[in-house]
Amino acid sequence: MRDPGRPGDSPREILLHLPDGQDFSRALEALDRQLSGADPMDVVVDIGTRKLSTRELLRLEEAISRHGSRLLRVTESPSRKGGSTLRIVGSSGSRHREVVEEESQRPSEDFERTLLHKGVLRAGQMIKYGGNVVILGDVNPGAEVIAGGDVVVVGTVRGLIHAGARGNSAAIVVALRLDPVQLRIGRHFSRRPEDGPTEEGGPEMAWVQDGRIVVEEYRSDVRRR
Amino acid sequence: MGTALVVTSGKGGVGKTMVTANLGVALAELGKLVAMVDMDVGLRNLDIIMGLENRIVYDLNDVIDGQCKLQQALIMDKRFDNLYLLPAAQTRDKSSITSRQMRELCAELKDRFDFVLLDCPAGIEHGFTVSVAGADEAIVVTTPELNAVRDADRVIGLLEAAGHRNPYLIINRVRPRLVRRNQSLRVQEVVDILAVGLLGVIPEDERVVASMNLGEPVVLYGGEVAHAFRDIARRMLGEEVPMLPVEEGRGVLGALRRMMGIG
């Protein structure tokens, strides 16, 4: 029996999309390419608003089993226009939360969505989200947060943060303590200084000023910048 | 009904097998009935550092394959009649055991023993998964080095995903001299990063290596390392035992702080 609480017993689970509006055969080819060469997996297919005929369903199942994987289930999702879908992909037991970016008509809307993560984000764990990300816990070395919007960490940042990941240089990173290996905001990039972290203090904030990432004490007048 | 604990680390060479052997001895000294299981199929070590290599007739795989009874494969320690070793097969590989088989074996072991210590192989692949599957609780071993801590952090994440919400931490090979010179992570820094409960701190000591080569767990030699393990065993039995101020090293200041209970 499969026991989803324990890693390794079950193959990796993956979620694939059949984009709306695409010809079924073409969508199936794309799915075929995604699976080729991959280890056997349990596949969840999100068919969006599409309606599948029995024949199409059988073709879908066949295409997946050809790669040694199996179709676990098919899910529908209502119109995702302008939004992003959160997918949680299990990878050898660790938790990856990833957002599949849809072509968005109004990208600014994405930044207003926020994902809350409770707990320490540990080495090998990653959060990838189109909107803002709030973490109640530390971001440890080897962990990554990639957000389309702002990143707020109620804890210490020692891993990698990329805020405004789709080129939004107005994004900010706020943390109780900022000691990241690497910090990226929009297309800007900074490394941890070789002389080590700053002295203990209050919450810190990173933002882009004159084309460079600066880290300073957090002030509540964030919006005026 | 006993408790099965997996001793794991992610990174190799940080002292999982040494910790398993010495915890086994320390718990046995306290009168507990203990089984140590070497999960490192194909690369077994625990029998050597216990000095029991020449007594192996049957192994873990023989039990799982039904070639022998559990009773027949368990080797009684030379020094304690309440301490047993279930050795790994040397000529098989890790894929020969499944998580379900491990859960069944652990259930059987827990019926007979107070503590079942599973010496997990390095890495986070199948051998790790199978070892963790049989365990009720987990002990993560690390050394105060950035790379070991990184791997420990990864392992804690995987343990959490497997339902082990509160693993215990043992920090091994702490070198007071490096700590004083700011050339090593401090115990507190390691605990801050990993954010799990500290079960014990073990100082670096040459005698550990010597004892492993002699097949005599270092707990039997006495000294600070032995003291640390005996404290850990008592903590596992629910006693409140203050941490040894390992980072202070020996010397007047260390002794003074110890007397005052700081550490």
Side-chain angles (χ1 to χ4, degrees):
Chain A
M1 277 294 96
R2 299 190 55 234
D3 176 355
R6 304 208 174 241
D9 278 358
S10 50
R12 212 160 88 93
E13 206 173 291
I14 188 170
L15 184 122
L16 298 173
H17 293 273
L18 292 188
D20 288 344
Q22 197 176 22
D23 173 62
F24 181 76
S25 293
R26 298 237 347 245
L28 204 59
E29 278 167 28
L31 181 139
D32 196 66
R33 276 196 300 278
Q34 279 176 295
L35 284 175
S36 72
D39 289 336
M41 284 180 286
D42 281 350
V43 182
V44 178
V45 177
D46 184 346
I47 56 171
T49 56
R50 187 191 289 274
K51 296 277 172 268
L52 285 192
S53 68
T54 314
R55 230 184 105 97
E56 285 173 331
L57 186 63
L58 286 173
R59 280 177 66 192
L60 181 66
E61 200 173 5
E62 200 233 70
I64 290 167
S65 59
R66 206 162 37 218
H67 297 285
S69 297
R70 68 177 183 135
L71 178 60
L72 193 66
R73 63 175 178 274
V74 172
T75 60
E76 292 175 33
S77 54
S79 174
R80 296 188 304 259
K81 215 167 29 173
S84 24
T85 318
L86 178 70
R87 75 176 180 188
I88 298 175
V89 187
S91 153
S92 55
S94 72
R95 206 156 21 139
H96 286 236
R97 305 177 102 181
E98 189 174 340
V99 166
V100 186
E101 296 299 340
E102 298 299 323
E103 282 311 310
S104 165
Q105 272 84 36
R106 284 170 295 171
S108 60
E109 252 188 18
D110 273 8
F111 304 141
E112 283 156 27
R113 292 160 165 265
T114 298
L115 172 75
L116 178 69
H117 175 89
K118 289 184 191 169
V120 179
L121 200 66
R122 297 186 182 276
Q125 297 179 339
M126 177 171 74
I127 290 180
K128 205 171 172 185
Y129 189 67
N132 309 302
V133 175
V134 177
I135 293 170
L136 301 182
D138 296 341
V139 177
N140 275 354
E144 294 180 18
V145 178
I146 297 170
D150 300 330
V151 177
V152 177
V153 179
V154 188
T156 300
V157 174
R158 304 183 187 89
L160 183 151
I161 307 273
H162 191 171
R166 286 185 298 174
N168 176 16
S169 294
I172 59 169
V173 179
V174 176
L176 292 190
R177 194 162 157 70
L178 266 176
D179 185 20
V181 174
Q182 224 185 68
L183 197 60
R184 303 177 198 159
I185 296 177
R187 286 186 305 278
H188 303 275
F189 167 103
S190 77
R191 276 193 305 267
R192 172 164 47 200
E194 298 290 334
D195 56 1
T198 52
E199 68 286 350
E200 303 269 347
E204 294 175 293
M205 177 171 75
W207 55 297
V208 175
Q209 188 182 35
D210 303 327
R212 286 181 54 223
I213 296 177
V214 293
V215 176
E216 57 185 37
E217 206 175 297
Y218 171 73
R219 297 200 310 269
S220 53
D221 61 345
V222 183
R223 297 214 75 166
R224 254 177 278 151
R225 269 197 281 272
Chain B
M1 187 75 176
T3 307
L5 292 113
V6 60
V7 179
T8 184
S9 68
K11 188 177 180 303
V14 297
K16 283 180 297 295
T17 305
M18 188 278 272
V19 165
T20 307
N22 284 291
L23 268 189
V25 172
L27 286 164
E29 280 183 340
L30 292 173
K32 295 294 162 189
L33 192 50
V34 182
M36 300 176 291
V37 184
D38 191 344
M39 294 300 298
D40 208 348
V41 178
L43 292 166
R44 75 174 175 218
N45 281 172
L46 188 54
D47 54 316
I48 301 173
I49 71 173
M50 290 302 295
L52 298 172
E53 191 184 7
N54 55 7
R55 305 183 185 208
I56 296 176
V57 180
Y58 295 109
D59 57 42
L60 177 62
N61 278 96
D62 293 324
V63 177
I64 279 173
D65 298 343
Q67 301 289 314
C68 71
K69 293 203 180 77
L70 177 58
Q71 201 77 22
Q72 292 173 290
L74 285 165
I75 302 166
M76 190 172 74
D77 184 68
K78 310 189 251 200
R79 295 136 293 211
F80 297 92
D81 62 6
N82 54 336
L83 178 62
Y84 288 80
L85 169 70
L86 182 54
Q90 185 69 309
T91 51
R92 302 285 294 276
D93 62 57
K94 293 180 177 64
S95 63
S96 58
I97 301 175
T98 66
S99 295
R100 172 193 276 213
Q101 287 169 328
M102 200 55 213
R103 276 196 281 272
E104 286 167 3
L105 177 71
C106 282
E108 204 178 338
L109 284 166
K110 285 192 292 182
D111 272 346
R112 304 184 189 193
F113 292 92
D114 298 319
F115 286 96
V116 179
L117 303 178
L118 305 165
D119 182 20
C120 183
I124 51 175
E125 291 80 25
H126 184 74
F128 167 80
T129 308
V130 170
S131 305
V132 170
D136 306 306
E137 292 180 53
I139 296 175
V140 175
V141 182
T142 188
T143 56
E145 286 140 28
L146 281 172
N147 50 346
V149 172
R150 172 84 57 100
D151 290 358
D153 193 42
R154 177 93 166 97
V155 158
I156 293 167
L158 295 175
L159 286 168
E160 284 173 348
H164 293 277
R165 304 301 304 177
N166 294 302
Y168 298 108
L169 178 66
I170 291 182
I171 305 178
N172 189 22
R173 242 184 270 148
V174 172
R175 283 177 279 192
R177 221 151 54 102
L178 291 191
V179 171
R180 276 199 298 276
R181 288 198 225 134
N182 275 330
Q183 289 170 337
S184 166
L185 287 173
R186 289 171 180 280
V187 166
Q188 192 55 49
E189 288 175 309
V190 177
V191 173
D192 282 348
I193 291 176
L194 297 179
V196 290
L198 184 62
L199 186 60
V201 179
I202 299 158
E204 165 102 330
D205 189 337
E206 279 183 351
R207 280 176 294 183
V208 172
V209 182
S211 75
M212 291 204 287
N213 288 330
L214 294 169
E216 290 277 334
V218 71
V219 166
L220 301 167
Y221 283 64
E224 222 181 357
V225 175
H227 193 162
F229 275 109
R230 292 195 172 113
D231 283 356
I232 290 172
R234 285 163 61 203
R235 285 185 200 111
M236 286 170 70
L237 300 182
E239 247 184 87
E240 290 261 341
V241 187
M243 289 287 161
L244 279 180
V246 169
E247 286 177 307
E248 309 292 341
R250 284 175 212 113
V252 183
L253 189 63
L256 188 67
R257 293 202 182 199
R258 212 162 307 172
M259 271 161 38
M260 293 162 65
I262 304 169

